[in-house]
Amino acid sequence: FFQGCKGASTCTFILRGGAEQFIEEAERSLHDAIMNTRRLLKNPSIIAGGGAIEMELSAYLREQSRQIYGKQQLLIGAFAKALEVIPRQVAANSGMDPTDVLNKLRMKHAHGEKWYGVDVVENGVCDTMEAFVWEATVMKRNALAAATEAACLILSVDETVRNPASEQPDKGNFPGKGMGGKGRGGGRFGRGRGRGR
């Protein structure tokens, strides 16, 4: 091992473990941590974690949807509801009652407490910015953009995937069209009663 190299600009991590699976998982976790730190150094901006930003966006969108009429209001309301899945899942994974936690978060965000999120330590809600539960702004922005694009792609599938045969009426239910005008036993080649197959 080389130690105390003052001019070195790189370092090497040596991972040791009992099984190959643990080593691979440790390598993935370490890689994610390094990449997250790198992104944060390039874009030094943070927001509160624990579902705080999702609840604030949801509250903002609900408020804006009240000023819009028509189908757009339903669309914005559904998007706001979808954002609440993140704090709901965080609360459920922590063993808390998700409905109770979401009600508390809605109340806090309605009163202007925009950094309140799920407190997994004390099983409640807290100001996650003061609790040092942070996320990089650029990562959250990318995650929201990717999720929105994926949802739009799924919703547009019904416009691109079609079966032309299913758009035509069922020919078997319309006399004179389904079997060329030859009904039960009718016509020269029809299968009447008593005729063999």
Side-chain angles (χ1 to χ4, degrees):
F1 295 106
F2 297 97
Q3 298 178 347
C5 303
K6 297 180 180 180
S9 59
T10 61
C11 64
T12 302
F13 290 96
I14 299 176
L15 302 177
R16 299 178 63 186
E20 190 69 26
Q21 295 173 342
F22 298 135
I23 296 295
E24 291 176 357
E25 185 62 31
E27 183 182 0
R28 277 193 296 270
S29 300
L30 191 60
H31 181 268
D32 290 344
I34 292 171
M35 290 297 106
N36 291 344
T37 306
R38 179 174 172 266
R39 289 190 193 102
L40 189 57
L41 289 173
K42 285 188 172 183
N43 301 282
S45 174
I46 59 169
I47 54 174
I53 192 66
E54 286 84 3
M55 289 302 297
E56 182 64 20
L57 287 172
S58 177
Y60 177 79
L61 288 174
R62 285 183 197 278
E63 186 64 30
Q64 291 297 314
S65 69
R66 293 188 180 97
Q67 303 172 12
I68 301 172
Y69 299 98
K71 294 179 181 178
Q72 288 82 7
Q73 184 182 32
L74 298 175
L75 176 67
I76 295 172
F79 193 92
K81 184 179 179 182
L83 287 171
E84 293 182 350
V85 170
I86 302 296
R88 179 186 293 274
Q89 196 62 47
V90 171
N93 290 348
S94 304
M96 293 182 275
D97 182 13
T99 306
D100 184 42
V101 171
L102 279 180
N103 286 336
K104 290 178 181 177
L105 286 174
R106 286 190 192 113
M107 184 185 70
K108 290 289 186 183
H109 285 267
H111 289 91
E113 301 285 349
K114 65 178 181 178
W115 296 131
Y116 262 73
V118 182
D119 185 0
V120 298
V121 178
E122 299 294 332
N123 287 345
V125 298
C126 70
D127 189 331
T128 50
M129 186 64 84
E130 291 185 0
F132 302 105
V133 181
W134 301 335
E135 294 185 61
T137 306
V138 64
M139 292 176 58
K140 182 58 68 176
R141 188 182 293 127
N142 292 341
L144 288 172
T148 304
E149 288 174 8
C152 292
L153 185 63
I154 291 171
L155 290 174
S156 67
V157 166
D158 62 337
E159 298 177 5
T160 57
V161 179
R162 286 184 179 158
N163 183 1
S166 67
E167 295 178 0
Q168 299 175 357
D170 188 5
K171 293 181 179 179
N173 291 332
F174 295 96
K177 292 183 180 179
M179 300 176 70
K182 304 199 173 47
R184 188 176 182 185
R188 185 175 168 203
F189 299 106
R191 290 193 200 114
R193 292 183 181 178
R195 284 192 60 122
R197 294 183 181 263

